Amino acid sequence: MARSALRRLMAEYKQLTLNPPEGIIAGPINEENFFEWEAMITGPEGTCFEGGVFSAKLTFPPDYPLAPPKMQFTCEMYHPNIYPDGRVCISILHAPGEDPMGYECSSERWSPVQSVEKILLSVISMLAEPNVESGANVDAAKMWREDRDQFNRIADHLVRKSLGLPDTFSKV
């Protein structure tokens, strides 16, 4: 099983290298282990995360692509669909099949036709348009709904931090 996962990951890495999507750089942390990847995601244009460069890690199971990878931001993030520890909560990364909670339909969840590129593009979309009804970070979801100006100030702080720029953040 791991051998076919390795072949698939090598093919996806080659595709990402030859035709990288805008705003995404991703690949194995080292070529000795194709099951641990790092990714750099540029904040989507026209959003409060615009211009930021955010680092993340993807960990692939031995039965990939039958099972989804796990994704976790390795930089500080504040977003309704990102747990405080950086883990990403998005439908495409949920195990295939029916949702035991009845919230997602099976077509929104992981399937072997998905790819690293589709995951990362979905995360960029998630940064732009969070699902605040199913928040992994309840405080961020509440702030997104009720105090967008404060949320935007926090996002600006994270963008500046991701770029190594001086911090202008204050919790006014």
Side-chain angles (χ1 to χ4, degrees):
M1 187 66 77
R3 188 176 306 276
S4 63
L6 177 61
R7 278 195 302 273
R8 168 78 179 257
L9 288 167
M10 290 173 81
E12 288 193 45
Y13 177 53
K14 182 177 180 182
Q15 179 61 32
L16 280 170
T17 304
L18 294 174
N19 190 17
E22 188 176 329
I24 296 171
I25 299 172
I29 293 171
N30 70 61
E31 294 196 7
E32 301 297 314
N33 180 5
F34 266 77
F35 291 88
E36 296 281 333
W37 285 34
E38 59 189 346
M40 300 299 282
I41 298 171
T42 302
E45 209 173 294
T47 72
C48 58
F49 295 102
E50 181 175 1
V53 180
F54 305 102
S55 58
K57 180 174 84 170
L58 290 111
T59 306
F60 297 88
D63 60 345
Y64 180 81
L66 299 177
K70 305 239 181 285
M71 183 173 175
Q72 184 170 11
F73 279 94
T74 55
C75 62
E76 185 181 351
M77 288 298 286
Y78 189 76
H79 187 278
N81 306 120
I82 300 172
Y83 288 100
D85 69 0
R87 288 177 296 133
V88 175
C89 181
I90 189 171
S91 299
I92 194 173
L93 292 176
H94 295 161
E98 294 302 315
D99 179 6
M101 306 298 281
Y103 180 74
E104 302 165 331
C105 57
S106 59
S107 64
E108 297 173 314
R109 297 168 69 89
W110 179 257
S111 103
V113 300
Q114 306 293 7
S115 65
V116 175
E117 179 178 351
K118 287 179 185 173
I119 292 166
L120 296 173
L121 290 171
S122 294
V123 169
I124 288 174
S125 292
M126 175 201 77
L127 288 175
E129 298 177 34
N131 177 354
V132 295
E133 301 308 316
S134 172
N137 183 328
V138 176
D139 293 335
K142 185 174 192 273
M143 187 180 292
W144 176 272
R145 285 191 308 267
E146 298 175 7
D147 191 352
R148 189 69 61 87
D149 288 340
Q150 178 66 4
F151 186 93
N152 289 343
R153 283 192 291 276
I154 292 171
D156 183 65
H157 159 74
L158 296 174
V159 166
R160 296 179 67 76
K161 188 173 183 178
S162 79
L163 300 171
L165 297 174
D167 191 6
T168 59
F169 182 69
S170 76
K171 292 186 178 183
V172 176

